[in-house]
C-alpha cells in the first residue's frame, strides 16, 4: 500500500512560482515511477510531468515544458514540482501518483493517488 500526500499549493499571481511536494510512504519509494497530473473545474484530469525511479528520465506535457521542473529526493521519499512563470490556465487541483504500467501520460497507468492540492493563479 502506498500513501501520497501533496502540499505546497496556494494562490499566486500570474508570473509567479510555487513548489509542490509529494510525500510518499513505503519502503520502495525509490523504485516508483511517478507523475504529476492536474484537473481544472469541468475538465478531465491531464498529465503534467513524470519522473523515472532514479530521476534520470523526466517527461513533460507541452503546456508546461520549459516552465515546470519535476524532481525527486529518494532519501526523503519526496517528489517535487517546481512551477515557474505560472499562468491563469495552470489553475487546477494537482495530484501526484505512482505508475504501475502503461503510458506515462495516461491517468489509468497510475494506481495510487494523493488527495490533491489546489493551485490558483490570478491574472
Amino acid at each position: 500500500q502506498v500513501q501520497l500526500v501533496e502540499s505546497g499549493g496556494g494562490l499566486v499571481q500570474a508570473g509567479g512560482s510555487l513548489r509542490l511536494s509529494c510525500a510518499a510512504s513505503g519502503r520502495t519509494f525509490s523504485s516508483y515511477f511517478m507523475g504529476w497530473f492536474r484537473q481544472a473545474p469541468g475538465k478531465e484530469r491531464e498529465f503534467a510531468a513524470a519522473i523515472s525511479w532514479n530521476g534520470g528520465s523526466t517527461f513533460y506535457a507541452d503546456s508546461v515544458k520549459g516552465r515546470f521542473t519535476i524532481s525527486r529526493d529518494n532519501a526523503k521519499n519526496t517528489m517535487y514540482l517546481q512551477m515557474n512563470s505560472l499562468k491563469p490556465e495552470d489553475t487546477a487541483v494537482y495530484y501526484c501518483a505512482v505508475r504501475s504500467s502503461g503510458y506515462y501520460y495516461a491517468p489509468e497507468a497510475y494506481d495510487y493517488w494523493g488527495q490533491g492540492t489546489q493551485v490558483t493563479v490570478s491574472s
Side-chain angles (χ1 to χ4, degrees), residues 8-11 18 20 39 41 91-94 116-121:
L11 173 63
L18 283 174
L20 305 184
Q39 188 166 19
T91 294
V93 177
Y94 282 72
T117 185
Q118 176 71 47
V119 171
T120 303
V121 184

Side-chain angles (χ1 to χ4, degrees), residues 13-48:
Q13 288 188 332
S17 299
L18 283 174
R19 188 176 83 153
L20 305 184
S21 298
C22 173
S25 65
R27 294 174 295 175
T28 56
F29 175 83
S30 60
S31 68
Y32 302 156
F33 184 105
M34 300 187 68
W36 285 99
F37 287 77
R38 63 187 186 181
Q39 188 166 19
K43 295 188 177 182
E44 294 186 351
R45 192 168 298 189
E46 67 173 12
F47 169 74

Side-chain angles (χ1 to χ4, degrees), residues 35-107:
W36 285 99
F37 287 77
R38 63 187 186 181
Q39 188 166 19
K43 295 188 177 182
E44 294 186 351
R45 192 168 298 189
E46 67 173 12
F47 169 74
I51 188 167
S52 62
W53 66 275
N54 65 350
S57 297
T58 57
F59 308 88
Y60 297 94
D62 287 344
S63 58
V64 308
K65 197 172 296 181
R67 300 186 298 122
F68 290 11
T69 302
I70 190 171
S71 62
R72 65 191 297 162
D73 185 341
N74 287 344
K76 295 182 178 180
N77 279 18
T78 303
M79 177 178 68
Y80 304 98
L81 186 67
Q82 178 67 43
M83 306 186 295
N84 298 330
S85 302
L86 283 161
K87 305 175 182 179
E89 50 263 44
D90 294 318
T91 294
V93 177
Y94 282 72
Y95 299 89
C96 64
V98 174
R99 189 184 75 158
S100 57
S101 63
Y103 295 114
Y104 65 83
Y105 51 81

